[in-house]
Amino acid sequence: MLNIVLFGPPGSGKGTQAEKLIEKYNLIHISTGDLLRSEVAAQTELGVKAKAIMDRGELVSDDIVIGMIQNKLKEHKGVPGFIFDGFPRTVEQARELRNVLETNDTIVSMVISLQVERDELMKRLLKRGEESGRSDDNEETISNRIDVYQHQTVPVTYYYDKTNIHHPIQGIGKIDEIFKRIVDVVEKNK
Ligand code: B4P
C-alpha cells in the first residue's frame, strides 16, 4: 500500500495537493478537517463541540480524531492506499496512526511536509476566508492556529525525523510546480 501523510501548517496547501495526489495515485483521501466540518454541518453532538474548538483555532481531542480515522480505515478495505491530510497533528496521533496501520499489516510509506512561512500562510487563509466564509479563516483564529501548529504539531516532525520517511518540500510557488516536487519524491520513494 501507498500511505502518504501530507504534513504542514494551516494554509500550506495540504488540501490542495491532496486532491491532485488522490487523482494521480487512486488513493483514499482522509482529511480530519473535512470530517470535522461535516460533523459541524450535520450539527451532531460531536460537531457542536468541535465547532467551538475549531473557531478558537485549537485542536479537537486526540480520542475523537483517532476514532474518526479508525472508522474510515474500516470503511475502506483492500484499497491501494490513503492520503492522511491534516492528521497526525500531535505526537499521540502519530503513535496511534502507526498502531492502527500496524493492525492492518501496513505502515506510513512517507511523510511529505510542506514548508511555508507565516506571512504567506496568513495571506492565503485570509483570502480563503473572504471567498469561502470559513469561520476559522479570520485573522485572530488563523494566528492562533499557526501558534498551535508550532507548539503541538511541529513535535510530530521530530517523531518522524527518527525515521527515513520524512521529506520536507518547499511549499511556495505555483500549485503545479509544488505538485511536481511532491510527485518526484513519491516516485523515488514508493
Ligand atoms: P484543516 O481543515 O486541516 O485546515 P488547514 O490546516 O487550514 O488546511 P487546509 O488543508 O484547509 O488548507 P490548504 O493548506 O489546503 O483543519 C481545520 C481545523 O480542524 C483545525 O484548526 C483543528 O481545529 C481541526 N482539526 C483538523 N484536523 C485535526 C486533528 N488531526 N487533530 C485535532 N484537530 C484537528 O489551503 C489553504 C489555502 O491556500 C487555500 O485557499 C488554497 O487555495 C491556497 N493555496 C494552496 N496552495 C497554494 C499555493 N501554492 N499558492 C497560493 N495559494 C495556495
Side-chain angles (χ1 to χ4, degrees):
M1 280 178 88
L2 178 60
N3 296 315
I4 302 176
V5 169
L6 254 188
F7 194 87
S12 56
K14 302 182 295 285
T16 308
Q17 297 297 336
E19 290 302 331
K20 297 174 80 68
L21 281 165
I22 53 174
E23 200 178 309
K24 182 164 175 76
Y25 292 106
N26 202 19
L27 303 172
I28 301 293
H29 185 194
I30 304 188
S31 156
T32 40
D34 287 350
L35 291 172
L36 288 166
R37 279 184 290 277
S38 25
E39 296 283 341
V40 172
Q43 297 184 320
T44 61
E45 200 183 325
L46 161 60
V48 172
K49 266 194 223 154
K51 183 170 180 355
I53 299 169
M54 292 163 84
D55 282 348
R56 291 197 300 271
E58 285 160 17
L59 296 181
V60 173
S61 79
D62 287 340
D63 286 357
I64 290 179
V65 176
I66 291 162
M68 290 189 324
I69 293 282
Q70 284 168 332
N71 289 341
K72 274 279 154 194
L73 293 178
K74 263 190 228 145
E75 263 174 44
H76 298 280
K77 295 276 181 200
V79 295
F82 294 93
I83 298 242
F84 297 94
D85 162 6
F87 178 91
R89 262 178 157 93
T90 64
V91 172
E92 178 59 21
Q93 292 180 16
R95 288 201 190 103
E96 278 304 318
L97 177 61
R98 183 183 161 166
N99 291 343
V100 74
L101 289 180
E102 231 168 56
T103 328
N104 289 284
D105 293 321
T106 185
I107 52 166
V108 173
S109 317
M110 60 195 85
V111 178
I112 295 184
S113 177
L114 294 165
Q115 316 279 302
V116 179
E117 70 232 15
R118 191 177 188 110
D119 288 357
E120 173 72 12
L121 300 173
M122 290 293 301
K123 207 167 78 187
R124 286 184 190 178
L125 293 176
L126 285 172
K127 183 162 175 263
R128 183 174 69 184
E130 280 165 20
E131 288 158 4
S132 74
R134 236 175 87 168
S135 61
D136 58 346
D137 282 344
N138 62 74
E139 198 161 353
E140 194 186 338
T141 306
I142 297 167
S143 185
N144 195 37
R145 283 157 66 197
I146 300 173
D147 291 344
V148 166
Y149 172 81
Q150 293 297 343
H151 294 123
Q152 297 186 50
T153 306
V154 166
V156 177
T157 60
Y158 310 142
Y159 176 85
Y160 285 120
D161 274 341
K162 292 183 212 142
T163 65
N164 57 357
I165 59 168
H166 182 211
H167 305 278
I169 300 237
Q170 171 58 264
I172 292 185
K174 295 213 171 75
I175 288 169
D176 284 342
E177 284 165 12
I178 299 164
F179 183 60
K180 186 176 178 305
R181 287 176 208 149
I182 297 176
V183 169
D184 285 349
V185 169
V186 175
E187 289 300 319
K188 266 188 213 133
N189 296 283
K190 72 177 181 185

